[in-house]
Each structure stands twice: as structure tokens, then as C-alpha cells.
Amino acid sequence: MTNLTHLERLEAESIHILREVVAEAERPVMLYSVGKDSAVMLHLARKAFYPSPPPFPLLHVDTTWKFRDMYALRDRMARESGMELLVYQNPEAQERGINPFDHGPLHTDMWKTEGLKQALDLYGFDAAFGGARRDEEKSRAKERIFSFRTASHGWDPKNQRPELWNLYNAKKAKGESIRVFPISNWTELDIWQYIHLNDIPIVPLYFSAKRPTVERDGMLLMVDDDRFPLKPGEVPVERSIRFRTLGCYPLTGAVESEAATLPEVIQEMLLTTTSERQGRVIDKDGGDASMEKKKQEGYF
Amino acid sequence: MTDPIYKTDALIAEDINAYLETHQHKSLLRFITCGSVDDGKSTLIGRLLYDSKMIFEDQLAALEADSKRVGTQGQEIDFALLVDGLAAEREQGITIDVAYRFFATEKRKFIVADTPGHEQYTRNMVTGASTADLAVILIDARKGVLTQTRRHSYLAHLIGIRNIVLAVNKMDLVDYSQKVFDDIVADYTAFAQSIGITSFVPMPISGFKGDNITANSENTPWYTGKPLIEHLETVELDNTADQAKPFRLPVQWVNRPNLDFRGFSGLISTGSVKPGDAIRVLPSGKTSTVSRIVTLDGDLDEAVAGQSVTICLADEIDCSRGDVIATADNPPEAANQFETTIVWMDDEALHVGRSYWLKLGTQMVSATIQQPKYTVNVNTMEHLAAKTLDLNAIGVAEMATDKPLVFEPYADNRALGGFILIDKITNRTVGAGMLHFSLRRAQNVHWQAVDITREMHAGMKNQKPAVLWFTGLSGSGKSTIANLVEKKLHRMNRHSFLLDGDNVRHGLNKDLGFTEADRIENIRRVGEVAKLMTDAGLIVITAFISPFRAERDMVRAMIPEDEFIEIFIDTPLAEAEARDVKGLYKKARSGQLKNFTGIDSPYEAPDSPEVRIDTTKMTPEQAAELIVERLIG
């Protein structure tokens, strides 16, 4: 008798999901955001289809405002996995110069939500893998693993398809699509543990180092390039920081930390007292139910 | 206060590597909690998350604020607010869908399916229960065994959950009375036995106060069993039991990176496999041996139930998605007729006789359901007669599939006995079911190979067989045009046969009326007859209203793709009614005739028929000419 560990069970479930989509969808794609969850999802895809490379491309919906380290890792992982990398930047957002400093919530809406919809429509993808987890946020806890979207990418939380056993319904009409979340049942700790056990490459920003920062509205922001508009008298300060989640650098709060290795990062996570999305501005605009509302509009 | 059962802060702080080593070896238990609105289910889950420190300070601060604003516990923390996720239900103060929660102790990681208690949401509970090893059935100590308790227990048992915990909650509100507890347990025991639940574990708890959750409570010195968490940590997992069963691997995907490698990928549902094992591929029955178990991290010596693997075989044998690789000397059977229990999950009721997609493991076939033998009243367990299955109905019915299914009884193997039904038009998941056994008649009827093939029949007649399927409203002109078409074909020395709606109802289908189920059966029979006639080499012309798209598509699927020609006789209702050749519209309008298409029964026009005839723009003669041209070319 072999007692499978919880990570082995989670891995088997995720691989099963990845293969079901490839078997049943016409044009799958993997949404790759370069964060730790994406890193695990990509690794699982490589395991699922080995010795073939994963039979779908990676899609990065870019906002042009990610950390530089993220772009570097993205390009490296695409090379190493043997997968095609598609990078999409919403041309309208580019033309209007939409940025997180001047445009607030519009930045996320145009670059991410609209950009994603445009990219999916452009390439005609009918199934998109995403690295969301149910433990992240309350509306995610109720979303199916195969999450059906209308032709206009809308999500109807009241009218989700029942999902029984490990039988996923991938049937859909032309124009409709499915968002698939293979790591739905993983927790933040599972992710870190799995990265540790499998030696999965992640962006160095997750580890502590001296980085130039400024403090704004109680958040520590990293000055990652010279597009960061400093206020009069504001001078970047070198602090020992790291990030628990990664997004657009002007919207992602750092934590002061000395954790420079994976075990130290996990240790800090276990002893910490705030949730990981707390450093993200995105969950807060729109109040209590903002993520649910964003998802209905087509956000991942 | 930190409870020692949960994460050990000291170990994390002092020796993170030792902690990680421990954590790495945890097992996984999935369970569901079921209870009525006020049984304190959300509070219990909130408590488990809170005690296991899965709630962070920022979430706690939000929770405290919410508790004061909309909570129902006065100034105390309302744990229920933690788990009631969606905005709509927070406003209503109820949980309306399945939500999944996660927490861990030193020994196990837990995934909790939080399922609702309302009757209209039976489907959600069945959904949550389908992946669970264990069910926690909550009872309010002040109320005892209620209708909902029976319903939840029945559903948990139906879905095959072997481990049931009867959590008698809110013990703090009955002064931790042993008598109250004992009476409830006695009540429940009587009921449980009546539905076949042979064992369950009762415990007195308070989710709100925390009694008997992580440690035995001083308030219930008379309770000698384990606290809830300890029970959850030690109960045997279904996955362990599954490993002792015969090997089954439903093939998901064939991995073929180059000509030298062919691997079969899937999740092992039961048993274990080693290189060198003799296997059989179902349904073909071909045998081979396992040569390798391939993973990114190197080949494996053994793989067991619950693992996703890729295996290679020693011989080049046919095997594709939907096949099942099984141990050679004890394979599952294949059949196409079954007795099943079905839980209906859609607002639109089951159409008896209609063809649905059925997904079982990695197999996808077409299935039709017979009229249920009975449905079960989930509150009283009574068996009731029924013509169909409505939303949340549970019924026992016979089912037929268009291709043999490799299966095992659900009680032996959830992965090869559980299935979902998908509507072919809306693509919604409309039902879930469990196979119990195959019907013998299917196994004893085999296809008899014949020496004179359909090609030879057609060849002698010097023609290509076809079905000209006319559809349209009553009085649209189907029979008139179909007649003209046949006359033309006859003059051209083509062998044809016209099946007319009215004529067939005088003989073959005289036992059928005009209810929806009968209309579906009417078309199914005509489709089968048309198919036999094309096998004999004939050009078959059918003139039936055939109002439902699903049935026309069912017939289309029976017949080779290029031999089915759907002809839509498109006459507006007003026009057909004005003609009213047989006086039927008049009767229907006056209520003398029920279920009349176009009046009180729907007509679903074809989306893309091969031929569309607009009778307001052409004569029957012109229409017939057009159709013959389309056929002969």
C-alpha cells in the first residue's frame, strides 16, 4: 500500500485536468503571468505531457508595467519548456498611454481585463488555463474548475454547471469559451512546498534583497525603472524587501524581510499574520465584492 | 492561544526544514458538511479555519467589522461571514452554492465542500459529495433529526460516502445535556438503518463555543469519543481502499511525440500497476504487457490508484481516448443497457427517449433514458411513480447507449460507474447518475454479420441510398411535396419509399400519442426504419412534423453523414393555419386538440438544413424539382 501525500494527490488532480482540456478543447492556451502559481502550473503541464512538450502556447497578457525580473524569467521559461510564447498588449491602452500612476482602476481594466478578452478573441482560443486558487479569495472559492464563459467572456456565478467527481463538461457553442483552473485546490503553502520539492524556477523578487523603495499610502513600492514618478522631495530608500505576490510593479506592495531562501520564505509565510492578496490594490477598489464583479466582467 | 494540533509555531521558527519534512508527508481528506440554514454549518467551518489559523489578521479585521455590521452573533465574531462568499448570498444571509475551503493540521490537509441545506439545491450537495471521503451531518441539538437531516443522509449514502459523522451541534444551548444527545442519536440510528447506513460516528459539539472540535470538552465529560479534528485526522481514506481493487486506467490522451514513443496517459482509478504486468485494453479485449511507467522525473517501478501516469505497452495495439486499460485476468465488462439512478440537475425536465451526451470516465457516448421506474421522495424515502425527472429529482431508470460503455457498478468503482448527462443543444450538465448493473438482454443480443452488405444492396439498384427528411408545421406542404418527389424519382427508375407521418401512426406507431415523450419515440422509430431501408439500398422519403431539433439530430447521427438530407418546408404558421387542409388548427384553437405543434407545442426550426423550401415563393412542383436536383445533382 502506498500512502499518497496531499501534494501527490493535488499533482495528480491537476495533471488530469490539464489532459482533459487538451483532449476535449480545440484551441487551448495557458495564461502565464510569471508568478509562483503560474510557475507551478507550467511545471505541472510539463509533467502532464512529458516526453511531449505541452501541446499549447503560453499567453502573457502584458501591461508593460511588470517587474523587469518577470520579463526575464518569462522568456527563459518559454525557451526551456519548448512552448510558443505569445505576448499581447492592448493596443488601445498603449495608444492612450494607460498607466497605473495616472489612471487608477482603468489601468487594470484596460490592460488586463480588456487585453485578455482581445487576445482570446484574436487567437480564437476556446479554453484558457489560469493559475487561480480557491483559497485566495471568497468568490474564487465557489468557482468551478471548468468555468464557462459566454461569447462576451462573462461569468454567471448563479448559473454554473454542476461539477461532479472528476467529470468535466467541456462542451460549448461556437464563440463561447472555458477558463480552466488546474490548481484550484492548492493553497499558498502547497504552492511553496511544491516549488521547494521540485526545484521550480521562480522570479528572484520573491526572495529578499536590497531594493530601491518608496512608501506610499502605507505600501512599500519598488522603483523598478525610471518611469516611476517621484513626488517632490521623495527619494528612493534601499530596503531589504521581497514580494508575496507579483503584478504591475507600481501596484504591488513589498514586505520588509530578510528571507532569502525558499525555506525562509515559507517560514515567514507560515508565521505571518496577513493574507497574500493584502499587498494588491486590485482587490480593494469597488469594496467588498470587487473580485466577484471583476470576474463577471471577464477578468480572470 | 495556539492549539498544538495545528501548525507548530515553535518548530516553524526553530527548524523550518524539519517542519517542511513533516508537512510533506501529510495525507489529504476531502469531506462535506451538510446541514440546514440554522444548524451552524458555516460557523463550524469558520471555526475550523480560525482554529487552524487559516485566517489572517487582515481577514480577521474585516470579519470583526462585518460581524458588527451584518452579523447575527451580536458583538461576537460571526464565523459564518468568513465562508458565505458571493455578494448576493451575503445579502440574503444564506449559502447558495458549493464552496471549497482548505485547512491543515499536523497530520492531514483537508478540503471541505461547503454545501447548502435548501431543498432546491440538492444538486449542489450531490456535487460536493461526489468527491468526498466523509460527510459531517450537522444537527441542531434543540431541534433533533429533521427532514433535512434525512435528506442529507440519504444523499450522502446515495453518492457512496462510507464515513458519516453525526455532529450534534449547539450543545451549549441545551446545557450540554447527555440525554438530549442520546435521544437524538437513538432517533438517527433508527432512520440510518432504514436507508442502509450501517455505521456512523456521533459527537456532541459546539461550533460557536468550540466544544469537542480540537480537544475533548470539559462540558461533556460523558462523551468518550474523539473530538472532531482527531477523527478527521485518522479516518481511513477511500484512496487507500481503492488501491486494493483490480487495476483500471481510463485512457485520457495518447502521447505520441515521435514515431518511437507511444504512451497512454490517464489517472489510475483503482489498483496498481508495475512494468511487466499483463493488461487488457477494453472494449477491444486486446492484451499486452506494461513496458514502462514514464514521468518527467524518471520511470517508476510502480504506480497506484490516484496517480496520473503515462504507461507504455510492449506491443503496438490499438488504444485511444475512452478505452480502459485493465488487469488482463480481471477486466471490467462492456454493455449498452443499464439500470441507473439519476439525479436531475436542470430546470428543463428530462425528456424521456431523447438523446443526451453521456460522459463516464473518458468515454463520451449518446444515451437515452427510459421513463423512470420510480422517483425517491428525499424527505420521506417513499418511492413515487413518475413520467419524467424534474430539477432535483432522483429516480431509478433504464438507460441505453449508442456504443458499449466499459463500466463497473458505481458501488465498486466511482470512476467507472459515475456519469454526467449533457444536453446536446444547450451543452448544460443536466444530470448525474450511477450505473448499478447492465441489463442482460444487451449482452445476449449481438450484431449478426451478414454477407450481403449495404453497398451490395445499393449497387444492385444502381443508386446511392439516402434519407430525404422533411420537417415543417402541420399543413406546411410536406406530404404534397414529398409525394411529387417520389413520383419524379420513380420516373427516373430510382428505388424509393415514402414514410408518411399519418400512415405510420396507423400501424407501426399506433400505440403512441402526442405527448412530448411519445413524439420523441415516434421519431426514433421512424429513424430506425429509415436506417434499415437505407441499408437495403433505398432512397427513403419521410414526411413528419418532427418538431424537435434534438430528435432530428439523433436520426442524422444514425445515418452516414452524406446520406441524410434535411428539408425544411418553411411555411409561416399563419399561412399553414389559413390553409388548414385537415381542419386541425381550428380544433387546436378551440381546445379540442391538445399538444398541437405551433399552437400549444413548440416547433424548433432547423438551424442549417441541407434544403430550405419557402412555400410562399414557389409551387410544390418547383420545390420537388429543386429537391430532386439536390439529390441526383
Side-chain angles (χ1 to χ4, degrees):
Chain A
M1 207 55 46
T2 311
N3 284 317
L4 298 180
T5 66
H6 72 291
L7 286 175
E8 288 170 325
R9 296 270 304 274
L10 290 172
E11 177 187 79
E13 179 186 65
S14 301
I15 289 176
H16 176 258
I17 293 162
L18 288 156
R19 288 171 175 168
E20 277 303 282
V21 172
V22 163
E24 294 207 358
E26 281 171 30
R27 264 180 85 66
V29 67
M30 179 169 280
L31 278 251
Y32 182 65
S33 71
V34 213
K36 64 185 192 305
D37 300 311
S38 277
V40 167
M41 183 166 65
L42 174 58
H43 189 78
L44 289 164
R46 295 175 75 181
K47 280 197 170 188
F49 302 102
Y50 177 85
S52 298
F56 41 79
L58 293 170
L59 172 64
H60 182 221
V61 178
D62 189 17
T63 64
T64 70
W65 289 92
K66 301 292 172 188
F67 292 90
R68 284 175 299 166
D69 278 352
M70 293 173 74
Y71 292 113
L73 184 75
R74 177 192 74 187
D75 295 342
R76 178 185 144 199
M77 291 315 293
R79 267 197 315 277
E80 286 183 11
S81 64
M83 296 165 77
E84 183 188 3
L85 171 68
L86 305 168
V87 176
Y88 187 85
Q89 298 169 344
N90 179 355
E92 195 193 336
Q94 198 145 35
E95 197 174 311
R96 288 173 57 186
I98 301 296
N99 69 74
F101 296 106
D102 302 324
H103 301 100
L106 189 64
H107 169 78
T108 302
D109 181 57
M110 296 259 322
W111 283 111
K112 291 182 80 174
T113 308
E114 286 308 311
L116 173 62
K117 290 197 255 185
Q118 288 171 3
L120 294 178
D121 289 344
L122 174 69
Y123 293 103
F125 293 122
D126 65 339
F129 293 111
R133 308 188 322 264
R134 283 171 171 160
D135 76 328
E136 277 177 273
E137 200 270 336
K138 273 185 284 196
S139 69
R140 297 241 199 248
K142 305 213 163 182
E143 189 163 12
R144 304 289 188 255
I145 290 173
F146 276 49
S147 188
F148 181 80
R149 300 299 157 104
T150 61
S152 55
H153 303 281
W155 179 56
D156 181 359
K158 285 271 171 66
N159 198 17
Q160 300 193 77
R161 292 173 175 177
E163 205 161 77
L164 293 102
W165 298 291
N166 57 10
L167 295 175
Y168 304 105
N169 175 1
K171 297 266 184 199
K172 59 205 170 310
K174 211 170 168 49
E176 296 168 344
S177 62
I178 303 178
R179 309 271 171 97
V180 183
F181 304 105
I183 55 169
S184 286
N185 287 327
W186 296 56
T187 61
E188 186 181 7
L189 178 57
D190 297 331
I191 293 288
W192 283 122
Q193 180 88 34
Y194 192 76
I195 288 171
H196 181 52
L197 279 174
N198 288 273
D199 220 355
I200 299 170
I202 53 170
V203 182
L205 295 163
Y206 285 115
F207 303 111
S208 176
K210 291 262 185 223
R211 296 183 172 106
T213 60
V214 297
E215 194 176 339
R216 280 194 188 166
D217 307 325
M219 286 214 313
L220 277 181
L221 297 178
M222 175 174 160
V223 183
D224 194 44
D225 59 37
D226 53 17
R227 290 180 295 174
F228 196 107
L230 294 170
K231 290 177 182 162
E234 207 173 37
V235 182
V237 180
E238 289 279 315
R239 288 185 175 94
S240 184
I241 57 154
R242 64 178 200 89
F243 293 85
R244 293 182 63 193
T245 59
L246 294 174
C248 294
Y249 82 80
L251 293 174
T252 310
V255 289
E256 290 201 73
S257 164
E258 299 297 332
T261 66
L262 249 175
E264 284 168 8
V265 166
I266 298 174
Q267 184 174 38
E268 198 174 86
M269 183 221 123
L270 288 169
L271 297 174
T272 194
T273 51
T274 54
S275 68
E276 69 184 312
R277 293 197 76 85
Q278 189 245 0
R280 293 240 196 152
V281 179
I282 181 163
D283 292 357
K284 292 183 185 153
D285 41 82
D288 203 24
S290 74
M291 179 63 88
E292 183 178 343
K293 194 163 153 286
K294 281 200 174 63
K295 289 177 75 67
Q296 288 178 21
E297 289 159 359
Y299 181 76
F300 223 84
Chain B
M1 191 192 78
T2 305
D3 200 289
I5 289 175
Y6 296 101
K7 57 181 187 180
T8 325
D9 282 11
L11 185 61
I12 293 168
E14 283 159 22
D15 190 349
I16 182 67
N17 288 314
Y19 173 84
L20 289 175
E21 175 66 19
T22 323
H23 179 83
Q24 191 182 317
H25 294 103
K26 283 178 189 177
S27 54
L28 174 67
L29 178 84
R30 300 183 70 135
F31 70 95
I32 56 166
T33 52
C34 350
S36 311
V37 189
D38 300 320
D39 289 342
K41 186 163 45 75
S42 295
T43 304
L44 174 66
I45 297 174
R47 159 71 64 182
L48 293 172
L49 300 179
Y50 181 75
D51 282 354
S52 63
K53 300 184 72 185
M54 295 304 284
I55 298 170
F56 293 105
E57 246 172 35
D58 54 331
Q59 293 171 327
L60 196 61
L63 177 67
E64 275 169 2
D66 280 2
S67 297
K68 285 176 188 148
R69 193 161 53 86
V70 289
T72 56
Q73 304 293 340
Q75 290 299 302
E76 297 207 54
I77 290 179
D78 186 353
F79 291 114
L81 293 176
L82 264 180
V83 286
D84 288 352
L86 300 182
E89 67 199 73
R90 296 189 72 172
E91 283 152 21
Q92 295 164 23
I94 51 162
T95 311
I96 54 163
D97 204 295
V98 190
Y100 297 89
R101 310 287 164 196
F102 308 86
F103 68 99
T105 67
E106 290 294 285
K107 295 199 177 101
R108 274 191 178 158
K109 162 171 170 154
F110 299 94
I111 302 180
V112 193
D114 181 10
T115 60
H118 301 319
E119 183 164 21
Q120 62 266 41
Y121 297 117
T122 291
R123 68 171 201 177
N124 294 331
M125 186 184 146
V126 170
T127 302
S130 71
T131 50
D133 294 281
L134 178 146
V136 176
I137 310 245
L138 276 156
I139 287 189
D140 183 335
R142 296 169 303 174
K143 295 180 185 159
V145 177
L146 298 179
T147 300
Q148 292 93 316
T149 316
R150 296 192 194 96
R151 180 165 69 228
H152 299 145
S153 304
Y154 171 74
L155 292 174
H157 182 61
L158 176 80
I159 217 81
I161 295 178
R162 296 175 303 124
N163 297 301
I164 290 177
V165 172
L166 184 74
V168 181
N169 193 22
K170 305 196 181 181
M171 286 300 291
D172 52 315
L173 299 182
V174 295
D175 297 327
Y176 301 99
S177 157
Q178 181 176 9
K179 180 167 186 329
V180 169
F181 177 75
D182 287 347
D183 287 351
I184 289 173
V185 173
D187 246 19
Y188 187 81
T189 306
F191 161 73
Q193 282 170 352
S194 75
I195 61 165
I197 294 176
T198 50
S199 71
F200 64 92
V201 177
M203 51 184 78
I205 64 161
S206 168
F208 183 54
K209 300 280 186 193
D211 298 288
N212 293 321
I213 304 293
T214 56
N216 280 28
S217 168
E218 289 165 10
N219 294 318
T220 54
W222 43 268
Y223 174 67
T224 53
K226 292 174 184 169
L228 179 61
I229 285 292
E230 195 182 327
H231 180 68
L232 296 176
E233 279 181 326
T234 50
V235 72
E236 193 205 27
L237 301 167
D238 285 351
N239 176 257
T240 313
D242 282 343
Q243 290 182 27
K245 296 174 182 172
F247 172 65
R248 308 288 182 241
L249 174 72
V251 175
Q252 272 189 292
W253 189 70
V254 180
N255 193 337
R256 190 111 221 225
N258 54 57
L259 291 176
D260 301 327
F261 187 93
R262 198 163 68 125
F264 304 99
S265 302
L267 179 64
I268 301 174
S269 71
T270 53
S272 61
V273 65
K274 292 189 173 84
D277 283 359
I279 58 89
R280 191 180 293 271
V281 176
L282 279 296
S284 74
K286 298 250 167 55
T287 56
S288 183
T289 50
V290 175
S291 58
R292 295 174 62 191
I293 306 170
V294 180
T295 79
L296 177 69
D297 308 312
D299 283 12
L300 300 180
D301 297 329
E302 186 184 23
V304 299
Q307 283 182 292
S308 282
V309 293
T310 297
I311 68 171
C312 299
L313 301 178
D315 309 277
E316 280 268 331
I317 57 175
D318 275 347
C319 182
S320 52
R321 177 171 169 87
D323 289 349
V324 176
I325 300 178
T327 186
D329 57 3
N330 187 6
E333 59 174 316
N336 61 7
Q337 292 191 52
F338 307 90
E339 176 153 309
T340 68
T341 297
I342 293 171
V343 182
W344 200 254
M345 303 189 152
D346 201 57
D347 289 329
E348 194 179 331
L350 163 75
H351 297 274
V352 167
R354 174 168 291 182
S355 169
Y356 293 93
W357 292 120
L358 176 149
K359 188 173 183 185
L360 178 145
T362 59
Q363 303 170 79
M364 184 83 81
V365 299
S366 289
T368 53
I369 319 292
Q370 299 298 305
Q371 184 170 313
K373 291 181 169 172
Y374 58 86
T375 58
V376 179
N377 178 325
V378 292
N379 298 325
T380 61
M381 310 306 136
E382 272 178 294
H383 290 185
L384 307 169
K387 287 201 153 46
T388 181
L389 297 173
D390 296 316
L391 177 63
N392 291 317
I394 296 170
V396 171
E398 291 185 2
M399 180 178 83
T401 58
D402 67 336
K403 280 183 285 197
L405 273 179
V406 180
F407 83 104
E408 286 190 292
Y410 182 78
D412 298 342
N413 186 339
R414 283 193 197 187
L416 286 181
F419 62 86
I420 55 169
L421 295 167
I422 300 166
D423 186 287
K424 288 191 174 182
I425 306 287
T426 65
N427 293 322
R428 288 200 297 264
T429 303
V430 292
M434 288 143 277
L435 299 178
H436 301 309
F437 50 83
S438 64
L439 300 171
R440 292 289 153 202
R441 62 173 177 262
Q443 289 172 322
N444 294 327
V445 179
H446 299 283
W447 283 105
Q448 187 65 44
V450 290
D451 292 332
I452 307 297
T453 63
R454 72 194 306 272
E455 287 72 26
M456 290 156 80
H457 284 297
M460 176 168 271
K461 295 181 182 65
N462 200 19
Q463 66 184 26
K464 191 169 159 339
V467 175
L468 299 175
W469 189 278
F470 285 67
T471 173
L473 294 169
S474 175
S476 61
K478 294 183 302 296
S479 296
T480 309
I481 299 170
N483 248 307
L484 287 170
V485 168
E486 189 171 37
K487 277 202 256 181
K488 284 180 190 297
L489 290 173
H490 190 71
R491 281 202 296 271
M492 296 161 79
N493 285 323
R494 294 302 202 278
H495 298 255
S496 63
F497 194 85
L498 173 60
L499 284 165
D500 184 84
D502 288 345
N503 298 353
V504 170
R505 281 187 176 275
H506 285 300
L508 177 67
N509 290 352
K510 72 177 173 190
D511 56 326
L512 300 177
F514 289 87
T515 63
E516 194 176 283
D518 281 359
R519 281 169 180 268
I520 292 172
E521 176 61 12
N522 184 44
I523 297 306
R524 188 193 70 81
R525 289 186 198 174
V526 171
E528 290 288 354
V529 170
K531 178 170 178 272
L532 287 173
M533 287 182 166
T534 57
D535 285 348
L538 295 177
I539 295 168
V540 187
I541 305 162
T542 68
F544 294 81
I545 298 172
S546 46
F548 304 123
R549 204 174 291 137
E551 280 63 61
R552 295 193 301 264
D553 287 347
M554 170 179 74
V555 178
R556 183 187 287 273
M558 286 179 197
I559 289 165
E561 204 177 328
D562 55 342
E563 293 182 14
F564 186 85
I565 298 167
E566 187 175 21
I567 299 161
F568 177 30
I569 307 298
D570 191 359
T571 303
L573 178 64
E575 174 71 20
E577 192 169 353
R579 292 179 198 161
D580 205 5
V581 192
K582 301 170 197 162
L584 297 175
Y585 282 97
K586 210 165 152 193
K587 278 191 188 170
R589 286 287 183 200
S590 68
Q592 289 170 270
L593 199 55
K594 293 276 176 224
N595 298 322
F596 194 76
T597 302
I599 307 297
D600 57 350
S601 183
Y603 178 79
E604 299 169 1
D607 285 334
S608 46
E610 276 76 9
V611 182
R612 183 176 158 274
I613 301 293
D614 182 347
T615 63
T616 62
K617 297 223 171 83
M618 61 177 93
T619 65
E621 185 62 39
Q622 288 169 324
E625 194 66 45
L626 190 78
I627 293 163
V628 170
E629 199 167 301
R630 171 69 176 73
L631 176 70
I632 309 294

